[in-house]
Amino acid sequence: MSDFEWDPDTYLREMLAELPGYEELQEAVAVATDGLDPGTALELGIGTGETALRVLARHPGVRWTGIDASEPMLERARARLPGADLRLGRLEDPLPEGPFDLVMSVLAVHHLDADGKRDLFERVVRVADLFVLGDVVVPERPDDAVIEIDGVYDVPSSVAEQLAWLDEAGFDAEATYVRPDLALFLARRRPPG
């Protein structure tokens, strides 16, 4: 991943302007947790805490742990989520020790290349039974791409590729499109045996 740094003061405004479907993706991730009763959650790439706030509104008792590579973003998230355990860390770093009832990530994993995604999924399956991922994907039809991708900082993969890597890691996963270039993955760890 690059050393690009988001400004927490402008982050939400920039996401809304640059990412058609941002609100719909956030809502889809939050809705994907309905019916769950997570006691603990780990968020990968917590940013300013936008996703956490939406999920915690549905599950107020969850003990939330989050990592992010940006100290300024973590400072903003700490102000919004005073009870959360928020840590400086990159997606490539060892994950906090689990187990967690739920691991989630929104708009962070697409910054990893294919090998990085594969490795992350293998590490997530070791700490949680359930993984909810909402992210930018390569659309099935190139003409459907709306979100600007630079191929350096943004390196999304297709839904099919990510489903295959989740399967290899030990998850049973399904994906739904929020838009042709945004998808929600719901992955449950397969029982041993």
mmCIF file of all heavy atoms in Angstrom, residues 134-179:
data_model
loop_
_atom_site.group_PDB
_atom_site.id
_atom_site.type_symbol
_atom_site.label_atom_id
_atom_site.label_comp_id
_atom_site.label_asym_id
_atom_site.label_seq_id
_atom_site.Cartn_x
_atom_site.Cartn_y
_atom_site.Cartn_z
ATOM 1 N N GLY A 134 -17.142 -4.784 2.314
ATOM 2 C CA GLY A 134 -17.768 -3.926 1.298
ATOM 3 C C GLY A 134 -16.673 -3.147 0.609
ATOM 4 O O GLY A 134 -15.891 -2.456 1.271
ATOM 5 N N ASP A 135 -16.588 -3.272 -0.715
ATOM 6 C CA ASP A 135 -15.437 -2.637 -1.357
ATOM 7 C C ASP A 135 -15.647 -2.414 -2.851
ATOM 8 O O ASP A 135 -16.587 -2.911 -3.453
ATOM 9 C CB ASP A 135 -14.185 -3.491 -1.154
ATOM 10 C CG ASP A 135 -12.944 -2.643 -0.931
ATOM 11 O OD1 ASP A 135 -12.866 -1.516 -1.465
ATOM 12 O OD2 ASP A 135 -12.042 -3.115 -0.224
ATOM 13 N N VAL A 136 -14.698 -1.675 -3.400
ATOM 14 C CA VAL A 136 -14.618 -1.446 -4.840
ATOM 15 C C VAL A 136 -14.167 -2.754 -5.493
ATOM 16 O O VAL A 136 -13.278 -3.440 -4.976
ATOM 17 C CB VAL A 136 -13.599 -0.330 -5.156
ATOM 18 C CG1 VAL A 136 -13.477 -0.123 -6.658
ATOM 19 C CG2 VAL A 136 -13.972 0.957 -4.445
ATOM 20 N N VAL A 137 -14.794 -3.090 -6.599
ATOM 21 C CA VAL A 137 -14.431 -4.292 -7.353
ATOM 22 C C VAL A 137 -14.292 -3.937 -8.828
ATOM 23 O O VAL A 137 -14.818 -2.930 -9.288
ATOM 24 C CB VAL A 137 -15.474 -5.421 -7.185
ATOM 25 C CG1 VAL A 137 -15.551 -5.896 -5.747
ATOM 26 C CG2 VAL A 137 -16.848 -4.997 -7.700
ATOM 27 N N VAL A 138 -13.577 -4.782 -9.542
ATOM 28 C CA VAL A 138 -13.511 -4.649 -10.995
ATOM 29 C C VAL A 138 -14.850 -5.152 -11.533
ATOM 30 O O VAL A 138 -15.227 -6.296 -11.279
ATOM 31 C CB VAL A 138 -12.347 -5.475 -11.569
ATOM 32 C CG1 VAL A 138 -12.378 -5.457 -13.083
ATOM 33 C CG2 VAL A 138 -11.015 -4.970 -11.031
ATOM 34 N N PRO A 139 -15.592 -4.321 -12.258
ATOM 35 C CA PRO A 139 -16.896 -4.766 -12.751
ATOM 36 C C PRO A 139 -16.755 -5.839 -13.836
ATOM 37 O O PRO A 139 -15.719 -5.939 -14.488
ATOM 38 C CB PRO A 139 -17.533 -3.495 -13.312
ATOM 39 C CG PRO A 139 -16.406 -2.572 -13.585
ATOM 40 C CD PRO A 139 -15.293 -2.948 -12.655
ATOM 41 N N GLU A 140 -17.809 -6.613 -13.989
ATOM 42 C CA GLU A 140 -17.793 -7.676 -15.003
ATOM 43 C C GLU A 140 -17.649 -7.097 -16.401
ATOM 44 O O GLU A 140 -16.999 -7.684 -17.256
ATOM 45 C CB GLU A 140 -19.065 -8.518 -14.886
ATOM 46 C CG GLU A 140 -19.108 -9.343 -13.619
ATOM 47 C CD GLU A 140 -20.374 -10.164 -13.489
ATOM 48 O OE1 GLU A 140 -21.170 -10.235 -14.456
ATOM 49 O OE2 GLU A 140 -20.573 -10.733 -12.407
ATOM 50 N N ARG A 141 -18.285 -5.965 -16.648
ATOM 51 C CA ARG A 141 -18.177 -5.290 -17.944
ATOM 52 C C ARG A 141 -17.375 -4.006 -17.759
ATOM 53 O O ARG A 141 -17.785 -3.146 -16.976
ATOM 54 C CB ARG A 141 -19.555 -4.956 -18.496
ATOM 55 C CG ARG A 141 -20.383 -6.178 -18.845
ATOM 56 C CD ARG A 141 -21.788 -5.837 -19.338
ATOM 57 N NE ARG A 141 -22.238 -4.502 -19.013
ATOM 58 C CZ ARG A 141 -22.756 -3.641 -19.888
ATOM 59 N NH1 ARG A 141 -22.919 -3.987 -21.138
ATOM 60 N NH2 ARG A 141 -23.159 -2.445 -19.499
ATOM 61 N N PRO A 142 -16.248 -3.854 -18.425
ATOM 62 C CA PRO A 142 -15.415 -2.657 -18.235
ATOM 63 C C PRO A 142 -16.182 -1.345 -18.403
ATOM 64 O O PRO A 142 -15.864 -0.356 -17.744
ATOM 65 C CB PRO A 142 -14.324 -2.801 -19.296
ATOM 66 C CG PRO A 142 -14.243 -4.272 -19.537
ATOM 67 C CD PRO A 142 -15.648 -4.798 -19.362
ATOM 68 N N ASP A 143 -17.199 -1.332 -19.270
ATOM 69 C CA ASP A 143 -17.972 -0.107 -19.487
ATOM 70 C C ASP A 143 -18.758 0.313 -18.251
ATOM 71 O O ASP A 143 -19.211 1.455 -18.163
ATOM 72 C CB ASP A 143 -18.939 -0.277 -20.658
ATOM 73 C CG ASP A 143 -18.226 -0.395 -21.987
ATOM 74 O OD1 ASP A 143 -17.006 -0.108 -22.040
ATOM 75 O OD2 ASP A 143 -18.869 -0.783 -22.979
ATOM 76 N N ASP A 144 -18.932 -0.601 -17.291
ATOM 77 C CA ASP A 144 -19.685 -0.288 -16.071
ATOM 78 C C ASP A 144 -18.828 0.385 -15.008
ATOM 79 O O ASP A 144 -19.340 0.765 -13.954
ATOM 80 C CB ASP A 144 -20.299 -1.559 -15.483
ATOM 81 C CG ASP A 144 -21.444 -2.085 -16.330
ATOM 82 O OD1 ASP A 144 -22.048 -1.285 -17.081
ATOM 83 O OD2 ASP A 144 -21.732 -3.296 -16.238
ATOM 84 N N ALA A 145 -17.535 0.529 -15.247
ATOM 85 C CA ALA A 145 -16.649 1.162 -14.264
ATOM 86 C C ALA A 145 -16.940 2.653 -14.200
ATOM 87 O O ALA A 145 -16.868 3.351 -15.208
ATOM 88 C CB ALA A 145 -15.193 0.919 -14.636
ATOM 89 N N VAL A 146 -17.300 3.120 -13.025
ATOM 90 C CA VAL A 146 -17.563 4.534 -12.802
ATOM 91 C C VAL A 146 -16.526 5.121 -11.850
ATOM 92 O O VAL A 146 -16.071 6.239 -12.019
ATOM 93 C CB VAL A 146 -18.985 4.739 -12.230
ATOM 94 C CG1 VAL A 146 -19.231 6.185 -11.870
ATOM 95 C CG2 VAL A 146 -20.033 4.244 -13.219
ATOM 96 N N ILE A 147 -16.133 4.354 -10.865
ATOM 97 C CA ILE A 147 -15.180 4.807 -9.863
ATOM 98 C C ILE A 147 -13.789 4.863 -10.487
ATOM 99 O O ILE A 147 -13.339 3.917 -11.131
ATOM 100 C CB ILE A 147 -15.199 3.866 -8.639
ATOM 101 C CG1 ILE A 147 -16.594 3.900 -8.000
ATOM 102 C CG2 ILE A 147 -14.120 4.239 -7.637
ATOM 103 C CD1 ILE A 147 -16.838 2.813 -6.990
ATOM 104 N N GLU A 148 -13.121 5.994 -10.300
ATOM 105 C CA GLU A 148 -11.789 6.171 -10.871
ATOM 106 C C GLU A 148 -10.780 5.299 -10.126
ATOM 107 O O GLU A 148 -10.692 5.323 -8.902
ATOM 108 C CB GLU A 148 -11.373 7.635 -10.773
ATOM 109 C CG GLU A 148 -10.087 7.931 -11.490
ATOM 110 C CD GLU A 148 -9.744 9.406 -11.479
ATOM 111 O OE1 GLU A 148 -10.669 10.234 -11.554
ATOM 112 O OE2 GLU A 148 -8.541 9.705 -11.404
ATOM 113 N N ILE A 149 -10.040 4.504 -10.859
ATOM 114 C CA ILE A 149 -9.049 3.584 -10.306
ATOM 115 C C ILE A 149 -7.690 3.958 -10.878
ATOM 116 O O ILE A 149 -7.526 4.041 -12.107
ATOM 117 C CB ILE A 149 -9.403 2.119 -10.687
ATOM 118 C CG1 ILE A 149 -10.786 1.749 -10.152
ATOM 119 C CG2 ILE A 149 -8.328 1.162 -10.201
ATOM 120 C CD1 ILE A 149 -10.944 1.848 -8.663
ATOM 121 N N ASP A 150 -6.698 4.168 -9.997
ATOM 122 C CA ASP A 150 -5.377 4.558 -10.488
ATOM 123 C C ASP A 150 -4.454 3.378 -10.745
ATOM 124 O O ASP A 150 -3.416 3.527 -11.373
ATOM 125 C CB ASP A 150 -4.714 5.552 -9.535
ATOM 126 C CG ASP A 150 -4.396 4.969 -8.168
ATOM 127 O OD1 ASP A 150 -4.474 3.731 -7.989
ATOM 128 O OD2 ASP A 150 -4.072 5.756 -7.264
ATOM 129 N N GLY A 151 -4.795 2.180 -10.264
ATOM 130 C CA GLY A 151 -3.964 1.012 -10.492
ATOM 131 C C GLY A 151 -2.698 0.976 -9.651
ATOM 132 O O GLY A 151 -1.917 0.034 -9.736
ATOM 133 N N VAL A 152 -2.490 1.982 -8.817
ATOM 134 C CA VAL A 152 -1.330 2.028 -7.925
ATOM 135 C C VAL A 152 -1.811 1.973 -6.482
ATOM 136 O O VAL A 152 -1.527 1.040 -5.748
ATOM 137 C CB VAL A 152 -0.490 3.305 -8.179
ATOM 138 C CG1 VAL A 152 0.665 3.403 -7.191
ATOM 139 C CG2 VAL A 152 0.010 3.336 -9.606
ATOM 140 N N TYR A 153 -2.563 2.990 -6.064
ATOM 141 C CA TYR A 153 -3.146 3.023 -4.722
ATOM 142 C C TYR A 153 -4.425 2.189 -4.693
ATOM 143 O O TYR A 153 -4.740 1.548 -3.700
ATOM 144 C CB TYR A 153 -3.426 4.474 -4.325
ATOM 145 C CG TYR A 153 -4.025 4.642 -2.954
ATOM 146 C CD1 TYR A 153 -3.304 4.289 -1.816
ATOM 147 C CD2 TYR A 153 -5.299 5.160 -2.799
ATOM 148 C CE1 TYR A 153 -3.851 4.440 -0.552
ATOM 149 C CE2 TYR A 153 -5.851 5.322 -1.541
ATOM 150 C CZ TYR A 153 -5.121 4.964 -0.424
ATOM 151 O OH TYR A 153 -5.665 5.118 0.820
ATOM 152 N N ASP A 154 -5.160 2.209 -5.780
ATOM 153 C CA ASP A 154 -6.401 1.443 -5.918
ATOM 154 C C ASP A 154 -6.132 0.255 -6.830
ATOM 155 O O ASP A 154 -5.849 0.440 -8.012
ATOM 156 C CB ASP A 154 -7.503 2.312 -6.549
ATOM 157 C CG ASP A 154 -7.784 3.558 -5.738
ATOM 158 O OD1 ASP A 154 -8.035 3.426 -4.533
ATOM 159 O OD2 ASP A 154 -7.748 4.663 -6.317
ATOM 160 N N VAL A 155 -6.221 -0.948 -6.287
ATOM 161 C CA VAL A 155 -5.978 -2.157 -7.080
ATOM 162 C C VAL A 155 -7.092 -3.184 -6.801
ATOM 163 O O VAL A 155 -6.833 -4.265 -6.283
ATOM 164 C CB VAL A 155 -4.573 -2.748 -6.822
ATOM 165 C CG1 VAL A 155 -3.504 -1.930 -7.489
ATOM 166 C CG2 VAL A 155 -4.275 -2.880 -5.329
ATOM 167 N N PRO A 156 -8.326 -2.825 -7.149
ATOM 168 C CA PRO A 156 -9.421 -3.755 -6.870
ATOM 169 C C PRO A 156 -9.301 -5.039 -7.687
ATOM 170 O O PRO A 156 -8.597 -5.085 -8.692
ATOM 171 C CB PRO A 156 -10.666 -2.959 -7.271
ATOM 172 C CG PRO A 156 -10.182 -1.984 -8.282
ATOM 173 C CD PRO A 156 -8.772 -1.645 -7.873
ATOM 174 N N SER A 157 -9.999 -6.038 -7.221
ATOM 175 C CA SER A 157 -10.068 -7.329 -7.908
ATOM 176 C C SER A 157 -11.523 -7.596 -8.239
ATOM 177 O O SER A 157 -12.425 -6.919 -7.760
ATOM 178 C CB SER A 157 -9.508 -8.428 -7.000
ATOM 179 O OG SER A 157 -8.169 -8.164 -6.659
ATOM 180 N N SER A 158 -11.757 -8.603 -9.046
ATOM 181 C CA SER A 158 -13.135 -8.942 -9.409
ATOM 182 C C SER A 158 -13.822 -9.675 -8.264
ATOM 183 O O SER A 158 -13.172 -10.214 -7.349
ATOM 184 C CB SER A 158 -13.144 -9.824 -10.658
ATOM 185 O OG SER A 158 -12.658 -11.121 -10.335
ATOM 186 N N VAL A 159 -15.124 -9.728 -8.331
ATOM 187 C CA VAL A 159 -15.904 -10.491 -7.352
ATOM 188 C C VAL A 159 -15.499 -11.959 -7.410
ATOM 189 O O VAL A 159 -15.274 -12.601 -6.381
ATOM 190 C CB VAL A 159 -17.421 -10.306 -7.587
ATOM 191 C CG1 VAL A 159 -18.234 -11.348 -6.825
ATOM 192 C CG2 VAL A 159 -17.842 -8.896 -7.182
ATOM 193 N N ALA A 160 -15.386 -12.501 -8.626
ATOM 194 C CA ALA A 160 -15.046 -13.923 -8.776
ATOM 195 C C ALA A 160 -13.697 -14.251 -8.144
ATOM 196 O O ALA A 160 -13.551 -15.269 -7.457
ATOM 197 C CB ALA A 160 -15.052 -14.311 -10.254
ATOM 198 N N GLU A 161 -12.709 -13.382 -8.361
ATOM 199 C CA GLU A 161 -11.393 -13.620 -7.755
ATOM 200 C C GLU A 161 -11.476 -13.630 -6.237
ATOM 201 O O GLU A 161 -10.938 -14.524 -5.571
ATOM 202 C CB GLU A 161 -10.402 -12.531 -8.198
ATOM 203 C CG GLU A 161 -9.977 -12.628 -9.641
ATOM 204 C CD GLU A 161 -9.198 -11.406 -10.084
ATOM 205 O OE1 GLU A 161 -9.549 -10.255 -9.710
ATOM 206 O OE2 GLU A 161 -8.217 -11.611 -10.826
ATOM 207 N N GLN A 162 -12.177 -12.651 -5.686
ATOM 208 C CA GLN A 162 -12.245 -12.553 -4.229
ATOM 209 C C GLN A 162 -13.051 -13.694 -3.620
ATOM 210 O O GLN A 162 -12.696 -14.204 -2.547
ATOM 211 C CB GLN A 162 -12.783 -11.188 -3.815
ATOM 212 C CG GLN A 162 -11.768 -10.103 -4.160
ATOM 213 C CD GLN A 162 -12.205 -8.726 -3.774
ATOM 214 O OE1 GLN A 162 -12.071 -8.352 -2.620
ATOM 215 N NE2 GLN A 162 -12.742 -7.987 -4.733
ATOM 216 N N LEU A 163 -14.094 -14.129 -4.300
ATOM 217 C CA LEU A 163 -14.833 -15.300 -3.811
ATOM 218 C C LEU A 163 -13.928 -16.534 -3.804
ATOM 219 O O LEU A 163 -13.975 -17.339 -2.871
ATOM 220 C CB LEU A 163 -16.075 -15.549 -4.658
ATOM 221 C CG LEU A 163 -17.232 -14.579 -4.432
ATOM 222 C CD1 LEU A 163 -18.328 -14.822 -5.471
ATOM 223 C CD2 LEU A 163 -17.795 -14.676 -3.019
ATOM 224 N N ALA A 164 -13.097 -16.683 -4.827
ATOM 225 C CA ALA A 164 -12.170 -17.825 -4.886
ATOM 226 C C ALA A 164 -11.159 -17.756 -3.750
ATOM 227 O O ALA A 164 -10.867 -18.767 -3.100
ATOM 228 C CB ALA A 164 -11.462 -17.866 -6.239
ATOM 229 N N TRP A 165 -10.616 -16.571 -3.460
ATOM 230 C CA TRP A 165 -9.635 -16.431 -2.379
ATOM 231 C C TRP A 165 -10.280 -16.645 -1.020
ATOM 232 O O TRP A 165 -9.662 -17.230 -0.126
ATOM 233 C CB TRP A 165 -8.954 -15.077 -2.447
ATOM 234 C CG TRP A 165 -8.217 -14.851 -3.736
ATOM 235 C CD1 TRP A 165 -7.595 -15.800 -4.514
ATOM 236 C CD2 TRP A 165 -8.032 -13.607 -4.406
ATOM 237 N NE1 TRP A 165 -7.032 -15.217 -5.617
ATOM 238 C CE2 TRP A 165 -7.284 -13.866 -5.585
ATOM 239 C CE3 TRP A 165 -8.419 -12.301 -4.136
ATOM 240 C CZ2 TRP A 165 -6.919 -12.864 -6.472
ATOM 241 C CZ3 TRP A 165 -8.057 -11.300 -5.014
ATOM 242 C CH2 TRP A 165 -7.313 -11.583 -6.171
ATOM 243 N N LEU A 166 -11.510 -16.186 -0.845
ATOM 244 C CA LEU A 166 -12.228 -16.435 0.412
ATOM 245 C C LEU A 166 -12.458 -17.930 0.595
ATOM 246 O O LEU A 166 -12.285 -18.471 1.691
ATOM 247 C CB LEU A 166 -13.552 -15.662 0.441
ATOM 248 C CG LEU A 166 -13.417 -14.148 0.623
ATOM 249 C CD1 LEU A 166 -14.700 -13.446 0.212
ATOM 250 C CD2 LEU A 166 -13.043 -13.803 2.065
ATOM 251 N N ASP A 167 -12.817 -18.612 -0.492
ATOM 252 C CA ASP A 167 -13.012 -20.056 -0.448
ATOM 253 C C ASP A 167 -11.704 -20.763 -0.075
ATOM 254 O O ASP A 167 -11.686 -21.640 0.789
ATOM 255 C CB ASP A 167 -13.533 -20.549 -1.796
ATOM 256 C CG ASP A 167 -13.742 -22.049 -1.818
ATOM 257 O OD1 ASP A 167 -14.625 -22.545 -1.082
ATOM 258 O OD2 ASP A 167 -12.998 -22.737 -2.546
ATOM 259 N N GLU A 168 -10.611 -20.384 -0.715
ATOM 260 C CA GLU A 168 -9.301 -20.972 -0.407
ATOM 261 C C GLU A 168 -8.931 -20.782 1.065
ATOM 262 O O GLU A 168 -8.305 -21.648 1.677
ATOM 263 C CB GLU A 168 -8.202 -20.328 -1.262
ATOM 264 C CG GLU A 168 -8.206 -20.729 -2.706
ATOM 265 C CD GLU A 168 -7.186 -19.929 -3.510
ATOM 266 O OE1 GLU A 168 -6.293 -19.267 -2.905
ATOM 267 O OE2 GLU A 168 -7.280 -19.946 -4.756
ATOM 268 N N ALA A 169 -9.313 -19.635 1.626
ATOM 269 C CA ALA A 169 -8.976 -19.322 3.014
ATOM 270 C C ALA A 169 -9.795 -20.160 4.000
ATOM 271 O O ALA A 169 -9.401 -20.312 5.149
ATOM 272 C CB ALA A 169 -9.189 -17.835 3.283
ATOM 273 N N GLY A 170 -10.939 -20.679 3.549
ATOM 274 C CA GLY A 170 -11.774 -21.476 4.434
ATOM 275 C C GLY A 170 -13.126 -20.868 4.731
ATOM 276 O O GLY A 170 -13.805 -21.272 5.685
ATOM 277 N N PHE A 171 -13.539 -19.917 3.916
ATOM 278 C CA PHE A 171 -14.852 -19.289 4.072
ATOM 279 C C PHE A 171 -15.835 -19.833 3.036
ATOM 280 O O PHE A 171 -15.445 -20.135 1.907
ATOM 281 C CB PHE A 171 -14.762 -17.777 3.848
ATOM 282 C CG PHE A 171 -14.166 -16.986 4.973
ATOM 283 C CD1 PHE A 171 -12.934 -16.362 4.816
ATOM 284 C CD2 PHE A 171 -14.837 -16.822 6.171
ATOM 285 C CE1 PHE A 171 -12.377 -15.600 5.831
ATOM 286 C CE2 PHE A 171 -14.300 -16.057 7.199
ATOM 287 C CZ PHE A 171 -13.059 -15.452 7.024
ATOM 288 N N ASP A 172 -17.089 -19.915 3.412
ATOM 289 C CA ASP A 172 -18.183 -20.024 2.457
ATOM 290 C C ASP A 172 -18.667 -18.594 2.274
ATOM 291 O O ASP A 172 -19.096 -17.952 3.245
ATOM 292 C CB ASP A 172 -19.314 -20.907 2.997
ATOM 293 C CG ASP A 172 -18.933 -22.376 3.002
ATOM 294 O OD1 ASP A 172 -18.180 -22.802 2.106
ATOM 295 O OD2 ASP A 172 -19.380 -23.099 3.911
ATOM 296 N N ALA A 173 -18.582 -18.074 1.066
ATOM 297 C CA ALA A 173 -18.861 -16.659 0.847
ATOM 298 C C ALA A 173 -19.852 -16.465 -0.282
ATOM 299 O O ALA A 173 -19.953 -17.272 -1.208
ATOM 300 C CB ALA A 173 -17.562 -15.923 0.533
ATOM 301 N N GLU A 174 -20.560 -15.380 -0.184
ATOM 302 C CA GLU A 174 -21.459 -14.940 -1.253
ATOM 303 C C GLU A 174 -21.248 -13.446 -1.432
ATOM 304 O O GLU A 174 -20.780 -12.764 -0.513
ATOM 305 C CB GLU A 174 -22.911 -15.251 -0.909
ATOM 306 C CG GLU A 174 -23.383 -14.611 0.370
ATOM 307 C CD GLU A 174 -24.754 -15.100 0.815
ATOM 308 O OE1 GLU A 174 -24.976 -16.312 0.826
ATOM 309 O OE2 GLU A 174 -25.575 -14.224 1.146
ATOM 310 N N ALA A 175 -21.568 -12.983 -2.608
ATOM 311 C CA ALA A 175 -21.397 -11.561 -2.904
ATOM 312 C C ALA A 175 -22.652 -11.023 -3.555
ATOM 313 O O ALA A 175 -23.329 -11.728 -4.298
ATOM 314 C CB ALA A 175 -20.198 -11.351 -3.826
ATOM 315 N N THR A 176 -22.937 -9.771 -3.255
ATOM 316 C CA THR A 176 -24.010 -9.051 -3.924
ATOM 317 C C THR A 176 -23.441 -7.713 -4.392
ATOM 318 O O THR A 176 -22.597 -7.120 -3.718
ATOM 319 C CB THR A 176 -25.221 -8.812 -2.999
ATOM 320 O OG1 THR A 176 -24.782 -8.162 -1.805
ATOM 321 C CG2 THR A 176 -25.900 -10.112 -2.634
ATOM 322 N N TYR A 177 -23.896 -7.286 -5.542
ATOM 323 C CA TYR A 177 -23.440 -6.010 -6.077
ATOM 324 C C TYR A 177 -24.315 -4.895 -5.515
ATOM 325 O O TYR A 177 -25.539 -4.986 -5.540
ATOM 326 C CB TYR A 177 -23.536 -5.992 -7.604
ATOM 327 C CG TYR A 177 -22.462 -6.810 -8.277
ATOM 328 C CD1 TYR A 177 -22.686 -8.127 -8.649
ATOM 329 C CD2 TYR A 177 -21.213 -6.251 -8.546
ATOM 330 C CE1 TYR A 177 -21.701 -8.876 -9.270
ATOM 331 C CE2 TYR A 177 -20.218 -7.002 -9.170
ATOM 332 C CZ TYR A 177 -20.469 -8.302 -9.524
ATOM 333 O OH TYR A 177 -19.491 -9.037 -10.141
ATOM 334 N N VAL A 178 -23.665 -3.843 -5.046
ATOM 335 C CA VAL A 178 -24.357 -2.616 -4.671
ATOM 336 C C VAL A 178 -24.465 -1.738 -5.916
ATOM 337 O O VAL A 178 -25.461 -1.066 -6.135
ATOM 338 C CB VAL A 178 -23.603 -1.898 -3.531
ATOM 339 C CG1 VAL A 178 -24.219 -0.551 -3.210
ATOM 340 C CG2 VAL A 178 -23.557 -2.796 -2.293
ATOM 341 N N ARG A 179 -23.430 -1.774 -6.713
ATOM 342 C CA ARG A 179 -23.340 -1.160 -8.041
ATOM 343 C C ARG A 179 -22.420 -2.079 -8.832
ATOM 344 O O ARG A 179 -21.771 -2.932 -8.239
ATOM 345 C CB ARG A 179 -22.689 0.231 -7.969
ATOM 346 C CG ARG A 179 -23.341 1.262 -7.126
ATOM 347 C CD ARG A 179 -22.534 2.573 -7.152
ATOM 348 N NE ARG A 179 -21.866 2.817 -8.416
ATOM 349 C CZ ARG A 179 -22.427 3.459 -9.449
ATOM 350 N NH1 ARG A 179 -23.615 3.950 -9.351
ATOM 351 N NH2 ARG A 179 -21.766 3.613 -10.573
#
